Amino acid sequence: MDSGSSETLALEVIRADGKTVLVKSGVSWATDNPTKAYIKSGKLYGKTQGTYTLKATYEGFTTTVTGKVMPPPKLSSLKDVPWLERHRQSLLDKQSFEGLPVLVSSYSKLKGTKGSMFIPETDANTNGKWKGSVLASRYVRYGESQPNRIELLTMLPALEKRLISKAEIKSAFGKSETSETYSSSVPRHFSKSNKTFAKYSVKSYYEYQLKNLSVEVCFDKQDNVKFITVSKR
């Protein structure tokens, strides 16, 4: 995690019935190096650069994980704006990010690494396939058959080694159609080959309309882009 940032803690627990759940209450959290990372009100805070061990104790069971606090990220320069503008034009022309799968094209014919976006507050997995930095997926439907078409494209700029600021989004996309800031950050977890590799906290989003497409840009509390989702209106 970055110095100066925080994450709400939750423990992934496999219950006796085999179901996996996220638990927040009743968990005792501790770090072995509070000068690097510390716990307060159920959140983990990154303080200074260095490593630490996070320990969770729940109903007599204990587990640990090693973490690292990184220096605060530097805002990227306007060199990212032409990259964003190319993707914007590709969405207008081809209904896809530049060089990537097209919305409503065949999902079964798409070749890529299986992955998902997990939404903790609804316990829903949006399953899909990764092509580079983009997860192509279908909407979650309970008790219904899934259509054979790509319905959602989700790009993670971090996988392109890019850190995109809100100012850069405004420069490339202009004024948003709608926007919202949440009272508390909303988590999103991304996995690849059944392994979670990114956990983001979304504080706000901008929504744009590009012809018949909805483009939603999600930011953390430092106003850096965490991911961009595109779907049909």
Side-chain angles (χ1 to χ4, degrees):
M1 65 188 310
D2 296 325
S3 174
S5 67
S6 66
E7 293 287 346
T8 299
L9 293 170
L11 183 65
E12 190 174 80
V13 173
I14 301 176
R15 302 191 318 198
D17 61 6
K19 184 177 181 180
T20 300
V21 295
L22 287 177
V23 177
K24 293 182 180 179
S25 62
V27 184
S28 176
W29 301 96
T31 67
D32 69 334
N33 197 345
T35 63
K36 305 302 179 186
Y38 63 93
I39 310 293
K40 183 179 179 181
S41 301
K43 287 188 176 183
L44 176 68
Y45 290 83
K47 190 173 183 181
T48 57
Q49 185 177 357
T51 59
Y52 62 91
T53 298
L54 176 66
K55 181 171 74 173
T57 302
Y58 179 70
E59 293 188 352
F61 294 92
T62 297
T63 186
T64 61
V65 65
T66 299
K68 187 174 183 179
V69 179
M70 304 297 293
K74 296 179 180 179
L75 289 178
S76 49
S77 67
L78 290 180
K79 66 184 180 182
D80 288 322
V81 172
W83 178 80
L84 288 167
E85 289 174 337
R86 291 199 311 272
H87 282 301
R88 180 182 183 276
Q89 193 60 47
S90 180
L91 289 169
L92 284 167
D93 295 341
K94 302 177 182 179
Q95 300 201 341
S96 174
F97 291 109
E98 188 178 47
L100 290 162
V102 178
L103 282 171
V104 307
S105 62
S106 172
Y107 180 82
S108 61
K109 293 181 180 179
L110 176 66
K111 296 185 182 300
T113 305
K114 290 185 178 180
S116 70
M117 177 174 67
F118 177 61
I119 306 173
E121 65 266 32
T122 61
D123 201 29
N125 262 322
T126 302
N127 296 308
K129 301 174 186 177
W130 287 99
K131 294 290 289 185
S133 61
V134 172
L135 179 67
S137 55
R138 299 169 291 186
Y139 289 118
V140 176
R141 289 177 174 83
Y142 295 105
E144 297 181 25
S145 60
Q146 297 282 1
N148 182 32
R149 64 177 183 272
I150 297 171
E151 298 178 291
L152 191 68
L153 299 173
T154 305
M155 172 183 276
L156 277 61
L159 298 184
E160 301 268 348
K161 300 189 183 303
R162 293 181 183 271
L163 182 67
I164 310 295
S165 68
K166 187 171 285 189
E168 290 174 320
I169 290 292
K170 287 182 178 180
S171 180
F173 283 83
K175 185 178 180 181
S176 63
E177 183 178 355
T178 60
S179 64
E180 184 176 352
T181 299
Y182 302 113
S183 56
S184 58
S185 296
V186 179
R188 292 289 185 273
H189 301 172
F190 289 89
S191 69
K192 186 180 291 186
S193 299
N194 296 321
K195 293 184 178 180
T196 300
F197 68 89
K199 294 184 179 182
Y200 295 139
S201 295
V202 177
K203 185 64 176 176
S204 63
Y205 74 86
Y206 283 3
E207 186 176 359
Y208 297 87
Q209 181 177 358
L210 300 181
K211 292 184 177 177
N212 64 335
L213 299 182
S214 172
V215 180
E216 189 173 292
V217 186
C218 295
F219 303 89
D220 62 16
K221 64 181 181 180
Q222 284 83 31
D223 286 341
N224 294 319
V225 177
K226 305 318 294 180
F227 55 92
I228 302 170
T229 62
V230 180
S231 60
K232 286 273 194 179
R233 278 183 172 260

